Amino acid sequence: EQVCSVLDSLEREYKREDDWLSRHASGDHDRATLIAQLINKHQEQKEAFLKACTLARRTAETFLKYSNRSLQYFTHPNESTFRGPETKVKIILEKLLTQENRVLEYWTNKKKRLDQNQQYVLFERSARQSLAWIKEEGDIYLSTHTQVGNTPEETEQLLEEHNSFKEKARETREKVKLLLQLADTLVEKGHAHAPNIKQWVEEV
C-alpha cells in the first residue's frame, strides 16, 4: 500500500505538463547542465520505483506462499475467513501492477519531454556559438582585412592570418551544415520545439 501511495504521487508529478524552457530562460547560466541533471534524477526515480514495486511484489508472493502452506498444514473449519487477507493481497497486487504500468507510461512521456528540452537547449547553444563566431570574428575579420601588405613580411603575415581565418570559417560552415541537418531531422520528427528550431535556422 505504501508503494501504491508513492506511485500515486509519481503519477501526478509525471502527468503535470511543465514548460521547463519558459521557466529557465536562455539567459540562465547553463541550461544544458541543468536539464542533464533533471534527466539523471528522472532516471534514478524510475529505478527506485521499479525496485520498490519488485520488492512489494516479492513480499506479497512470499506472504501468499506462506498463507497457502499454513492452510495446508492447519485445517480449519471455516477456511474462507483465512482467505480474506489472501484476497486483499491479490487485489493490492493487481492494483500495483496497473499503477506501475501507468506510471511507467507517464514516466516515458515525461522522459521524452525532457529529452526534447535537452535537444533544443543543445541546438540553441550550438546556433548561438555559430552566430557569435560569424558576427564577432567572421564579419570583423572581413571588414578589417581589405588591403594587402605594404611589405613582403606584412603580406606574409596577412596571408597566415587569412589561412587561419579560412580554416576557422570552413569548420564553422561544417558545424552550421550539421546543425541545419539536425534541425531538419528534429522538425521532421515533430519535435515539440520545432517553431523555435526553425527560428534559429533562419537566424543562422
Side-chain angles (χ1 to χ4, degrees), residues 12-180:
R12 282 192 302 276
E13 180 187 334
Y14 295 159
K15 274 168 72 170
R16 190 176 64 236
E17 289 292 326
D18 182 23
D19 189 1
W20 184 86
L21 281 179
S22 66
R23 284 191 303 113
H24 298 279
S26 56
D28 284 0
H29 61 282
D30 193 3
R31 295 193 310 172
T33 303
L34 200 55
I35 192 75
Q37 289 169 348
L38 273 176
I39 289 171
N40 284 340
K41 179 184 171 203
H42 192 62
Q43 187 65 41
E44 288 168 4
Q45 276 183 334
K46 177 187 177 187
E47 291 164 12
F49 83 72
L50 286 177
K51 263 187 205 170
C53 289
T54 302
L55 181 64
R57 245 190 316 279
R58 285 186 184 148
T59 303
E61 287 164 1
T62 303
F63 172 81
L64 292 173
K65 280 180 191 172
Y66 179 75
S67 173
N68 282 333
R69 283 187 191 146
S70 296
L71 286 174
Q72 289 171 2
Y73 290 119
F74 307 105
T75 55
H76 293 282
N78 192 358
E79 219 174 85
S80 63
T81 55
F82 293 99
R83 293 273 181 217
E86 188 177 304
T87 305
K88 186 178 179 187
V89 169
K90 285 181 179 177
I91 290 169
I92 292 171
L93 266 177
E94 283 177 33
K95 180 183 175 193
L96 177 69
L97 181 63
T98 304
Q99 268 190 298
E100 182 181 7
N101 289 333
R102 212 171 40 237
V103 168
L104 269 174
E105 184 182 330
Y106 288 124
W107 182 91
T108 303
N109 293 338
K110 182 170 182 178
K111 175 77 164 71
K112 182 180 176 185
R113 290 192 307 271
L114 288 171
D115 287 344
Q116 287 188 343
N117 283 335
Q118 184 179 43
Q119 289 167 345
Y120 176 73
V121 165
L122 295 174
F123 180 87
E124 180 188 53
R125 183 171 67 184
S126 295
R128 283 183 192 280
Q129 288 170 347
S130 296
L131 280 173
W133 187 88
I134 291 167
K135 290 177 181 173
E136 293 166 16
E137 286 189 46
D139 287 348
I140 291 171
Y141 177 86
L142 291 173
S143 64
T144 57
H145 289 73
T146 56
Q147 303 293 322
V148 293
N150 294 330
T151 65
E153 293 80 23
E154 191 179 347
T155 303
E156 187 65 35
Q157 175 66 33
L158 288 172
L159 183 61
E160 282 179 31
E161 287 175 19
H162 179 72
N163 288 337
S164 172
F165 171 78
K166 266 183 17 183
E167 187 55 38
K168 287 180 187 171
R170 187 178 298 118
E171 288 171 13
T172 301
R173 185 178 66 215
E174 288 304 312
K175 283 181 189 173
V176 168
K177 246 196 248 182
L178 290 172
L179 199 60
L180 297 179

Side-chain angles (χ1 to χ4, degrees), residues 178-191:
L178 290 172
L179 199 60
L180 297 179
Q181 288 172 353
L182 175 63
D184 287 343
T185 304
L186 292 175
V187 170
E188 255 177 43
K189 289 183 178 179
H191 199 280

